[in-house]
Amino acid sequence: MSSPSSSARKRGRSSNPPTPGSEDVLSPSPRAREPSTGELQPMPTSPGTDLQSPAVQDTSLFSSPMPRLDMSSPLIYDTPSRGTPARQRPDLGSVRKAPQVDLNSDAVKAAVASEQAAGQRLVIWGTDVNVGTCKEKFQRFLQRFIDPESREDENASLDLNEPLYLQKLDEISVVGDPVLNVNCSHIQAFDADLYRQLISYPQEVIPTFDMSVNELFFDRFPDSVLEHQIQVRPYNALKTRNMRSLNPEDIDQLITISGMVIRTSQLIPEMQEAFFRCQVCAFSTRVEVDRGRIAEPAVCRHCNTTHSLALVHNRSVFSDKQMIKLQESPEDMPAGQTPHTTVVYAHNDLVDKVQPGDRVNITGIYRAAPMRVNPRQSQVKSVYKTHIDAIHFRKTDERRLHSLDEENEQKLFTEERVATLKELAAKPDVYERLSSALAPSIYEHEDIKKGILLQLFGGTRKDFSQTGRGNFRAEVNILLCGDPGTSKSQLLQYVFNLVPRGQYTSGKGSSAVGLTAYVMKDPETRQLVLQTGALVLSDNGICCIDEFDKMSDSTRSVLHEVMEQQTLSIAKAGIICQLNARTSILAAANPVESQWNPKKTTIENIQLPHTLLSRFDLIFLMLDPQDEAYDRRLAHHLVALYYQSEEQIVEEYLDMAVLKDYIAYARTYINPRLSEEASQALIEAITKDMFDEALRALADEDYLTVTGKTVRLL
Amino acid sequence: MPSVQDWINSPLGAVDALFAQNSSRSDWERKIVEYFKEKLKVNDAQSWVPSLNDVPLHYLKPNSLVKFRCMIQDMFDPEFFMGVYETVDPSTNSKVLRCGKYKDVTDCGQIDFNSKNAVTSERQTFYCVPIPGESQWYSFAGSSQARVVPSTSYTPNRHKRSYEEDDDMDTQPQQDKENTDSKRLETEAPSHNASPSHCSSNLDLNFPLPGERGPACLVKVYEEWDGFKLNDMLEVFGILSVDPALSLIAEDKEASSMLDPTESMETMEEQRAHSPPASLVPRIHMLYAQPLQHNNPLLPSAVSEDKAAFLNGILGELASVRAELQTYLTHVFLGDSLAAEYLILNLISSVYARRDVLPLGKFALNISGCPHTSPYTEHLYQAIQQLVPSSYRLCMSLNNMNSQRMVPRKDYTANRLVSGTLQLASNTSLFLDETQLEQGQLDTTGVQNITALGNLISWQKVDYDFNYHQMEFPCNINVLIASEGRSLLPCDCQVHLCPALNPPNLEEYLKTIQLAQVSSQLNKYRIYLSVARSLDYSISDQMTKEVEEDFVEMRKDDPQSVSAEDLHRMLIVARLLSLSYGQTSLSRENWMKAKQMELVRISRTQQQKCVNGNEP
């Protein structure tokens, strides 16, 4: 048993001591560096800790009674002060204003089972939050919560079978970043009532959490030095909503919304505490800012001169503040409407955490304040100004840098949706079904649709970097080639609309620069900015290139690297870098003589450089078969297009949504491997040189893995 | 119960009365809306309401009921306001519950912010502009329809007095304040003029088309705003609010920002875009809105029984009107009846459905072979303008293409959608004049504009520029391209103009044709086009088979001659042809006729090709 936990015991802190085993399993390295155990205390390893003299602190700790029991002012920050400065939380507003109500007189919460003393039966005015109970619950949560199925990458290094947040506290003591991020869904899983309180009264509950975590932390690491006290930052409130669904009921509640940062303001210093000095006797006093106003003292308390106090700006306390404009992310928007925006205020160290263009999830408190027509008038404009005080930012696209598999993770599927998708996948003819759902308005060409479907699913990325080979390409490149008017462009357009990260360009109008990236001088900052082109933008998506044959040779040459190495090297105007361009290319080209000449060979008809052609995994010919039966079916299909009623069309449209989800789901969760059987079949098929058959055989294995160039048409 | 005059002239009185009666019940909001809906239903009550489109703003009484025919140009963020609030009279300390709906500013008195009875509600603001490209004839036709206009709202004298009355009701300091404010306004006015940038941004009302005039409006929507879409056409009935206090917010900005740091978070541009002076951009608090399927004033707008009766009356003479229109257009096309036929089809085309990404029913027409030298295209456009409710002529001159903003763009500094030429309401006729295009270089904007036009024609959508991403807005615009040779833009159908007569003075000739049409005749045409467009259409099974047979047959002779694309086009032509005759299903004759028309058209184009090919 290490000393922190035993000392906690001594003071009867918790009726639920941490499991004895857990303490020992915790990584010993931080403790070795940190002079936190009693034995090491006399000789602090670093001179910096001398200032705070842990030994002295410790004795004072044991001699003083638990400050926690001082319930008269439960929300004052310096409860477990011990030399670490408390830091105001402007994100929570002025909490000190919250008056308390004795619950015994109210008898509302008398039923609350609590082993606390009767004097602690206090709730904060206007809420049902009992500070003591709340602290108790939160500490229990910190000490006990285990999430074995955690998939967050922040927790990657942590032992999942140990209490998650204790490990995080350890981390804080090592790293010294006094911020504890708490996932609200964990709290909900642990204690639904606490979660409800947190959501409904964040302004009161979060400071309570702060106190509680600080007590726990300084018990465990009595002599660690932090810049300021630990602040709890809840995130991922389960009531996550998009901006559109915010309504007046959410005011003053904890919310999490996602969106895109479109603008950030300059840093605004906001006064927290004003410093006044008397002009006569130089007596100084401090006044706290209350709701954006300072009550200037009229009389000097020392010399009783009236109106002698002057504000001294550079001795006042300011905090950082920044305004951020958040716009609804395009996915959340209903068609035909413009995106909404909201104002977010970031405080202190959250300032400059996000840049315009970032996709973020923001957890914060939703606020509304009435607007005055004129500050000197009582008349009020009947409109409220709303904003969100940010407590936590979480960038959603940050993770894309780590690895691909997590890319779609935030795209959550509801249970039933997954069930529908699974059901669909279980059907034997799923492959046929999906391919016919793909661009139903385009007639036949089933093989091509299947090919595109495979492209949509993509292959598995194989990492051979250890053997010095680099990544194996997982994306399938497809070239469509055929007579004009065989709806190639339409197919491309459809695919472009189907995939989340698709780009559509036409070979005629695009230059090499437009496809890759270019360097531009930002008009405002005069900095050089790298602007990415279509290929980089469609990283992890599909880049559709129409009129491939009309592309100039120099433009086409940039595709060489992209299509094989899946990267893009840039050396321009002093910027040298390699960008990821893990994109599949779907190109459409016309034959050389604009009509397919059956007398010539395929290669002669396409007339593309062989090097480039070899980089396409699948090349489809879209030809006019010129036979009567085909014509008849085609005619029927087209005519049907023109007389089908609206409802039927709507049905089809729904299918597109299902297809979209299906692909996203498959891409995210399913990583196929070639089974023994299948690879045998594959080898056989290749030796037989019947590629199409191979495709079909593999397709029955649910999703095809095409690695590298194992399979090629030519 | 209030009389008719009351609910038009002081609807807020009616609202307050209803609120007082029903405030204890939860459905008071619906009661109010129902009350006004009922009132507006009474025979021609709607025409009594003065329209913001026709009556200048300063003739309208503030806080009266008005209507406004408009298009939603931008949607602002929803705002929270005091739905119900309680005021405290400082002298008596008595509390009164008030309704904050349909108002911008609370009534006088101290407001109790911590009242338990207060309700915060949400409303949405739309920035609305008059329907872009609305034709001139509209206002004549519109006013003749709305014969009765309450005289009260027209008299400027009365209006002035009412203003004074308003002021009298207010407390003394209020008036003082207003006086000083107006003084400040005056003194500030010259300084505004001095800096041109201020001036222009002040006056930019964000109309999609250059040179448009008319009132722009901020429409406050109280319920079911999710049903509205950008670029929807609406007829809004609501309470006009031009409270001078609204514009003060912007004026007072400097002063207030000193006191309240949060106020300064909004940029100057944003303030200006979101709370422009009420005298320039009035607010309308919406009570009721009618989505407009079309904006032809000669047709009843609502879908109701009397519409069916109306249609039946018209369908009978449809064929004769069509014949007359065709003759008229033939004259306009210098005797080319085929071009006239195709133009009719173009004018009644409309996207009726979308399959995946493919819009069905669009029919972009390219009239090639237009005389280059004379202002023929201008006259052609004028003829079209006379026929359709809204239209726009876009000269594709190099300068225009390179400088005009066609695609709407989000301006994040001002937080608004800056409109572009292609932000048009559905069924607007867009006339692209390619004869104006000369040789030269297109810059980046020009290329983007051409791409946008191409997208508009092929997919009937416009990708609005949101800086970080693009957003696709479907549209439904009839495109007609006039060009010398084949247009550089993709289009569904190209007709080469073959003038049968060659009048010595083209201009003179065209003018006389247009003057020959009396307005009653034109009205007939206008009704005809709108009706034909809105008809339903189907193909019987038997016809389907015949068409299939036909197609197979055609392919048998020469597979090169007819492709799937051609079939697509023929089906559209057949569809529009049937509709133009008022027939709701495809008949054999029409199918044959469509085929015939296509044949003539194609042979003409091929001839043209040969001619051009022989030329050096």
Side-chain angles (χ1 to χ4, degrees):
Chain A
M1 204 77 213
S2 61
S3 68
S5 69
S6 59
S7 70
R9 265 242 186 114
K10 259 177 222 163
R11 275 172 284 125
R13 137 73 43 98
S14 156
S15 48
N16 321 292
T19 37
S22 70
E23 288 295 312
D24 296 322
V25 182
L26 285 177
S27 59
S29 55
R31 217 181 297 150
R33 261 179 279 132
E34 200 74 17
S36 61
T37 46
E39 295 80 27
L40 287 173
Q41 269 169 24
M43 19 182 214
T45 45
S46 79
T49 47
D50 262 3
L51 287 169
Q52 306 281 327
S53 181
V56 178
Q57 296 277 323
D58 237 26
T59 47
S60 71
L61 172 84
F62 282 102
S63 59
S64 66
M66 262 310 291
R68 181 173 64 94
L69 295 173
D70 177 19
M71 291 312 292
S72 58
S73 58
L75 293 179
I76 303 295
Y77 269 94
D78 32 25
T79 324
S81 65
R82 319 178 52 225
T84 308
R87 192 169 187 183
Q88 280 211 2
R89 295 196 64 165
D91 46 355
L92 297 178
S94 49
V95 278
R96 282 154 212 243
K97 296 296 140 197
Q100 293 238 333
V101 174
D102 194 339
L103 249 197
N104 286 341
S105 57
D106 251 8
V108 181
K109 286 285 277 183
V112 174
S114 159
E115 63 275 71
Q116 308 282 319
Q120 290 184 17
R121 287 257 183 98
L122 294 171
V123 293
I124 297 166
W125 185 77
T127 72
D128 60 355
V129 179
N130 179 310
V131 175
T133 329
C134 185
K135 265 165 81 174
E136 196 76 25
K137 277 182 178 169
F138 189 61
Q139 282 193 349
R140 215 180 302 151
F141 165 73
L142 290 178
Q143 284 167 343
R144 282 185 171 179
F145 184 77
I146 298 168
D147 184 13
E149 269 134 53
S150 168
R151 293 191 49 179
E152 290 168 68
D153 35 342
E154 284 100 323
N155 304 340
S157 61
L158 302 176
D159 186 346
L160 293 179
N161 294 317
E162 299 301 321
L164 185 69
Y165 290 100
L166 287 186
Q167 297 183 64
K168 288 201 173 175
L169 284 183
D170 287 347
E171 221 172 73
I172 291 174
S173 80
V174 177
V175 179
D177 182 21
V179 170
L180 180 70
N181 294 327
V182 176
N183 191 336
C184 291
S185 63
H186 291 168
I187 299 186
Q188 193 186 28
F190 188 78
D191 186 339
D193 194 46
L194 189 66
Y195 172 75
R196 182 190 55 75
Q197 284 185 339
L198 172 65
I199 296 298
S200 319
Y201 315 109
Q203 193 168 327
E204 289 79 22
V205 173
I206 294 173
T208 321
F209 282 6
D210 279 359
M211 271 192 294
S212 150
V213 73
N214 276 309
E215 281 170 24
L216 189 72
F217 179 77
F218 287 102
D219 279 348
R220 290 172 62 87
F221 310 101
D223 34 356
S224 64
V225 181
L226 295 178
E227 194 189 337
H228 56 83
Q229 292 191 2
I230 297 177
Q231 299 191 344
V232 175
R233 301 234 168 103
Y235 66 95
N236 190 17
L238 276 196
K239 248 168 106 189
T240 303
R241 4 173 110 242
N242 61 24
M243 214 171 280
R244 207 162 277 272
S245 56
L246 287 178
N247 61 43
E249 282 165 24
D250 297 317
I251 289 175
D252 284 336
Q253 301 215 338
L254 191 71
I255 52 164
T256 300
I257 56 169
S258 62
M260 188 168 68
V261 177
I262 53 167
R263 200 153 61 88
T264 56
S265 77
Q266 303 261 303
L267 198 143
I268 307 155
E270 195 184 38
M271 192 179 277
Q272 288 296 318
E273 204 175 53
F275 185 89
F276 287 97
R277 193 190 333 221
C278 177
Q279 305 283 58
V280 180
C281 63
F283 170 80
S284 61
T285 179
R286 290 172 182 276
V287 179
E288 252 187 55
V289 175
D290 177 19
R291 286 176 227 164
R293 277 166 202 278
I294 309 160
E296 190 184 336
V299 185
C300 174
R301 271 191 283 143
H302 191 249
C303 60
N304 281 333
T305 327
T306 50
H307 302 297
S308 67
L309 288 160
L311 183 69
V312 182
H313 273 280
N314 53 6
R315 292 195 62 184
S316 302
V317 179
F318 291 91
S319 69
D320 295 344
K321 184 176 176 180
Q322 186 178 37
M323 188 200 77
I324 294 162
K325 271 267 159 84
L326 194 70
Q327 184 187 280
E328 223 172 351
S329 37
E331 302 89 65
D332 290 344
M333 257 166 9
Q337 302 213 342
T338 59
H340 287 179
T341 55
T342 45
V343 177
V344 176
Y345 289 132
H347 301 272
N348 289 331
D349 54 331
L350 288 180
V351 167
D352 275 342
K353 271 276 169 70
V354 289
Q355 252 75 51
D358 284 350
R359 300 279 187 93
V360 290
N361 276 327
I362 287 188
T363 305
I365 304 174
Y366 197 40
R367 308 269 191 195
M371 272 201 286
R372 285 185 189 277
V373 169
N374 185 321
R376 293 171 293 274
Q377 284 256 318
S378 64
Q379 202 183 22
V380 178
K381 204 179 163 197
S382 61
V383 177
Y384 291 98
K385 266 177 109 84
T386 54
H387 69 264
I388 296 168
D389 276 327
I391 292 178
H392 187 275
F393 287 117
R394 188 186 178 83
K395 284 190 202 173
T396 44
D397 51 1
E398 198 178 43
R399 284 178 287 174
R400 208 146 65 80
L401 298 171
H402 298 316
S403 76
L404 178 78
D405 296 333
E406 280 157 322
E407 190 230 330
N408 274 328
E409 204 169 39
Q410 77 260 22
K411 193 179 162 80
L412 289 171
F413 294 101
T414 56
E415 293 274 318
E416 2 174 351
R417 197 67 188 202
V418 173
T420 353
L421 295 179
K422 287 242 166 89
E423 193 184 316
L424 183 63
K427 284 180 186 147
D429 60 338
V430 57
Y431 190 48
E432 276 69 30
R433 267 167 191 268
L434 287 176
S435 67
S436 63
L438 189 77
S441 62
I442 300 161
Y443 180 63
E444 289 222 325
H445 297 304
E446 289 300 322
D447 285 344
I448 296 170
K449 285 185 185 177
K450 282 176 184 171
I452 290 172
L453 203 62
L454 297 174
Q455 180 184 33
L456 290 172
F457 287 125
T460 328
R461 184 159 299 139
K462 288 201 173 160
D463 196 355
F464 282 98
S465 43
Q466 276 143 350
T467 53
R469 174 78 174 63
N471 274 340
F472 242 32
R473 177 160 61 92
E475 279 74 18
V476 185
N477 296 323
I478 294 181
L479 177 67
L480 303 178
C481 187
D483 296 337
T486 39
S487 53
K488 293 188 296 289
S489 308
Q490 215 186 315
L491 206 56
L492 256 58
Q493 194 80 17
Y494 182 87
V495 171
F496 159 64
N497 276 286
L498 188 71
V499 292
R501 214 183 292 269
Q503 291 291 322
Y504 184 91
T505 60
S506 173
K508 229 191 300 183
S510 53
S511 64
V513 169
L515 281 177
T516 55
Y518 55 96
V519 177
M520 196 182 87
K521 209 167 225 162
D522 191 295
E524 273 175 34
T525 58
R526 321 288 280 131
Q527 273 177 338
L528 287 176
V529 184
L530 197 65
Q531 295 277 334
T532 46
L535 283 174
V536 180
L537 285 176
S538 61
D539 187 20
N540 286 331
I542 290 181
C543 186
C544 304
I545 305 175
D546 208 351
E547 318 264 358
F548 196 66
D549 49 328
K550 312 251 183 343
M551 211 176 230
S552 70
D553 283 341
S554 61
T555 314
R556 237 180 264 153
S557 63
V558 306
L559 287 171
H560 281 100
E561 188 193 348
V562 174
M563 287 174 67
E564 200 47 59
Q565 263 69 47
Q566 304 277 300
T567 55
L568 196 64
S569 307
I570 288 160
K572 265 188 198 113
I575 298 181
I576 300 167
C577 62
Q578 197 173 44
L579 300 169
N580 275 332
R582 293 163 296 194
T583 163
S584 314
I585 288 173
L586 177 62
N590 286 333
V592 179
E593 291 153 38
S594 85
Q595 283 288 332
W596 187 267
N597 190 342
K599 293 188 189 85
K600 285 184 175 174
T601 61
T602 316
I603 295 175
E604 277 172 323
N605 259 316
I606 301 174
Q607 275 295 6
L608 285 171
H610 197 270
T611 41
L612 195 59
L613 217 49
S614 73
R615 284 174 160 85
F616 283 104
D617 302 302
L618 301 175
I619 297 177
F620 287 111
L621 305 178
M622 291 181 100
L623 294 183
D624 219 332
Q626 306 188 349
D627 89 83
E628 198 184 310
Y630 170 81
D631 291 348
R632 195 178 298 273
R633 290 199 304 275
L634 176 68
H636 183 79
H637 182 75
L638 289 180
V639 177
L641 204 62
Y642 280 88
Y643 75 80
Q644 262 180 2
S645 62
E646 287 274 343
E647 293 91 67
Q648 276 166 300
I649 289 163
V650 168
E651 264 171 40
E652 300 278 1
Y653 197 73
L654 270 178
D655 253 354
M656 184 167 166
V658 173
L659 183 64
K660 226 172 176 168
D661 282 358
Y662 191 87
I663 289 167
Y665 182 81
R667 276 190 82 108
T668 318
Y669 295 104
I670 296 172
N671 293 310
R673 272 168 206 279
L674 274 186
S675 65
E676 195 60 29
E677 211 177 313
S679 52
Q680 276 304 321
L682 184 68
I683 292 164
E684 239 167 73
I686 290 170
T687 46
K688 276 192 216 149
D689 205 16
M690 285 169 70
F691 174 71
D692 215 37
E693 289 305 309
L695 260 186
R696 295 233 167 94
L698 267 176
D700 294 334
E701 296 291 318
D702 236 4
Y703 316 105
L704 171 71
T705 318
V706 184
T707 35
K709 293 188 186 173
T710 29
V711 189
R712 213 185 312 147
L713 179 60
L714 289 174
Chain B
M1 271 284 130
S3 73
V4 176
Q5 288 300 307
D6 276 352
W7 66 262
I8 290 184
N9 281 332
S10 63
L12 282 177
V15 170
D16 283 338
L18 281 165
F19 175 69
Q21 280 168 27
N22 300 304
S23 63
S24 52
R25 290 168 38 193
S26 56
D27 63 339
W28 62 273
E29 291 172 317
R30 221 190 49 220
K31 272 258 153 55
I32 293 173
V33 175
E34 264 168 20
Y35 169 79
F36 281 101
K37 264 189 193 161
E38 278 304 310
K39 288 283 180 198
L40 285 170
K41 239 182 227 164
V42 180
N43 41 49
D44 53 352
Q46 290 193 359
S47 58
W48 297 341
V49 180
S51 163
L52 204 58
N53 297 83
D54 307 327
V55 187
L57 181 62
H58 53 275
Y59 285 145
L60 289 170
K61 192 171 174 290
N63 294 330
S64 65
L65 194 70
V66 293
K67 65 180 175 190
F68 185 41
R69 191 180 57 248
C70 57
M71 183 188 89
I72 302 176
Q73 192 269 324
D74 194 3
M75 293 161 153
F76 293 158
D77 297 331
E79 54 188 23
F80 293 169
F81 67 101
M82 289 176 257
V84 178
Y85 61 95
E86 209 164 25
T87 53
V88 187
D89 194 329
S91 52
T92 58
N93 217 3
S94 60
K95 291 186 174 180
V96 187
L97 216 54
R98 283 168 192 274
C99 163
K101 255 189 154 186
Y102 311 115
K103 284 171 208 162
D104 281 307
V105 179
T106 55
D107 294 327
C108 48
Q110 200 77 40
I111 291 161
D112 181 9
F113 285 112
N114 295 323
S115 165
K116 281 225 160 88
N117 297 321
V119 179
T120 308
S121 322
E122 193 180 3
R123 68 182 175 207
Q124 169 78 288
T125 310
F126 293 149
Y127 187 86
C128 294
V129 294
I131 295 166
E134 209 163 68
S135 301
Q136 286 290 315
W137 56 267
Y138 198 112
S139 42
F140 304 123
S143 55
S144 69
Q145 271 265 311
R147 291 167 304 274
V148 207
V149 185
S151 55
T152 47
S153 61
Y154 260 135
T155 44
N157 285 337
R158 169 74 183 271
H159 157 79
K160 245 185 183 159
R161 193 178 305 133
S162 72
Y163 229 132
E164 278 158 21
E165 277 162 12
D166 282 355
D167 280 359
D168 287 344
M169 302 216 304
D170 283 333
T171 48
Q172 195 60 34
Q174 167 82 15
Q175 221 171 19
D176 284 347
K177 184 212 99 193
E178 265 186 29
N179 285 343
T180 54
D181 282 332
S182 61
K183 263 180 211 148
R184 195 186 315 150
L185 263 174
E186 277 160 25
T187 52
E188 260 177 21
S191 72
H192 271 290
N193 288 342
S195 56
S197 65
H198 269 236
C199 198
S200 60
S201 59
N202 246 344
L203 293 174
D204 182 14
L205 291 180
N206 217 355
F207 292 124
L209 302 179
E212 288 252 296
R213 301 179 65 80
C217 236
L218 282 172
V219 176
K220 311 270 182 184
V221 186
Y222 286 84
E223 51 208 354
E224 285 162 20
W225 50 78
D226 285 343
F228 298 106
K229 289 204 162 93
L230 202 70
N231 303 346
D232 269 0
M233 288 188 287
L234 296 178
E235 183 151 51
V236 176
F237 290 87
I239 300 169
L240 182 73
S241 161
V242 285
D243 200 314
L246 287 170
S247 15
L248 276 178
I249 294 171
E251 294 295 333
D252 259 358
K253 213 216 117 220
E254 259 96 340
S256 62
S257 66
M258 299 294 284
L259 289 164
D260 190 358
T262 54
E263 207 79 19
S264 65
M265 300 293 168
E266 278 190 355
T267 55
M268 209 54 179
E269 291 84 12
E270 196 168 346
Q271 288 264 344
R272 203 168 276 139
H274 284 257
S275 36
S279 51
L280 211 59
V281 181
R283 320 292 197 260
I284 294 182
H285 295 270
M286 184 170 103
L287 286 162
Y288 168 63
Q290 239 172 26
L292 299 175
Q293 254 89 44
H294 59 85
N295 58 339
N296 193 337
L298 304 167
L299 278 175
S301 54
V303 195
S304 57
E305 317 83 62
D306 53 305
K307 191 190 175 191
F310 181 80
L311 278 183
N312 282 337
I314 290 204
L315 279 176
E317 53 180 38
L318 216 52
S320 67
V321 177
R322 186 189 193 278
E324 283 168 49
L325 177 61
Q326 211 250 353
T327 340
Y328 166 57
L329 289 177
T330 309
H331 283 301
V332 173
F333 279 122
L334 309 172
D336 187 342
S337 64
L338 186 73
E341 280 285 352
Y342 273 102
L343 182 60
I344 292 178
L345 301 189
N346 171 256
L347 291 176
I348 64 168
S349 71
S350 172
V351 176
Y352 64 96
R354 280 169 199 273
R355 278 300 280 276
D356 317 325
V357 289
L358 184 75
L360 296 178
K362 60 158 183 135
F363 192 68
L365 183 63
N366 174 209
I367 305 251
S368 60
C370 291
H372 174 54
T373 43
S374 60
Y376 175 72
T377 48
E378 206 177 312
H379 286 279
L380 182 59
Y381 171 65
Q382 274 167 12
I384 290 168
Q385 202 178 18
Q386 284 296 311
L387 295 175
V388 294
S390 47
S391 59
Y392 179 61
R393 174 180 180 223
L394 181 66
C395 290
M396 288 177 67
S397 66
L398 258 191
N399 183 31
N400 253 348
M401 293 311 289
N402 281 338
S403 63
Q404 233 183 35
R405 190 182 55 232
M406 293 198 182
V407 177
R409 173 179 61 84
K410 179 85 174 182
D411 177 359
Y412 283 113
T413 356
N415 194 15
R416 67 168 179 178
L417 189 68
V418 179
S419 194
T421 325
L422 294 186
Q423 189 175 18
L424 296 171
S426 67
N427 287 337
T428 307
S429 287
L430 182 64
F431 185 88
L432 298 174
D433 192 347
E434 212 179 275
T435 58
Q436 307 283 321
L437 193 61
E438 61 265 36
Q439 282 192 357
Q441 196 177 1
L442 285 174
D443 59 15
T444 326
T445 336
V447 174
Q448 278 167 0
N449 280 341
I450 295 276
T451 320
L453 282 175
N455 271 342
L456 171 76
I457 293 167
S458 345
W459 310 110
Q460 286 286 338
K461 62 166 192 186
V462 180
D463 287 319
Y464 288 18
D465 182 7
F466 279 81
N467 201 349
Y468 303 100
H469 59 101
Q470 304 218 313
M471 223 154 69
E472 195 181 296
F473 283 89
C475 55
N476 184 1
I477 294 170
N478 303 353
V479 184
L480 178 67
I481 309 167
S483 61
E484 267 178 285
R486 191 169 180 273
S487 168
L488 63 95
L489 295 164
C491 58
D492 298 320
C493 173
Q494 183 204 356
V495 180
H496 194 85
L497 199 60
C498 287
L501 41 133
N502 199 359
N505 192 341
L506 193 66
E507 222 167 309
E508 220 26 53
Y509 166 80
L510 287 167
K511 263 189 196 146
T512 33
I513 295 173
Q514 266 171 45
L515 288 176
Q517 299 296 322
V518 277
S519 70
S520 67
Q521 196 66 26
L522 281 172
N523 274 350
K524 261 196 208 162
Y525 298 157
R526 291 163 189 163
I527 295 173
Y528 162 73
L529 289 174
S530 292
V531 169
R533 170 183 284 164
S534 62
L535 291 176
D536 293 326
Y537 176 72
S538 65
I539 304 178
S540 65
D541 283 350
Q542 202 212 332
M543 248 347 265
T544 317
K545 284 225 176 61
E546 269 179 61
V547 171
E548 282 170 38
E549 285 300 322
D550 238 16
F551 181 68
V552 174
E553 203 64 27
M554 279 188 281
R555 299 262 306 179
K556 221 184 236 167
D557 302 344
D558 179 9
Q560 294 300 319
S561 67
V562 191
S563 71
E565 219 168 293
D566 292 326
L567 182 62
H568 262 287
R569 186 165 47 234
M570 272 196 270
L571 282 165
I572 298 174
V573 170
R575 173 195 157 85
L576 294 173
L577 201 64
S578 310
L579 289 182
S580 77
Y581 285 109
Q583 292 161 4
T584 53
S585 66
L586 182 61
S587 68
R588 210 184 150 68
E589 299 152 53
N590 278 335
W591 172 247
M592 295 317 282
K593 192 159 182 226
K595 255 172 60 180
Q596 192 57 35
M597 270 168 71
E598 278 293 284
L599 271 180
V600 177
R601 187 185 65 82
I602 290 168
S603 71
R604 225 190 235 191
T605 332
Q606 266 159 2
Q607 248 171 30
Q608 197 58 33
K609 249 186 213 157
C610 294
V611 172
N612 282 341
N614 290 342
E615 271 169 8

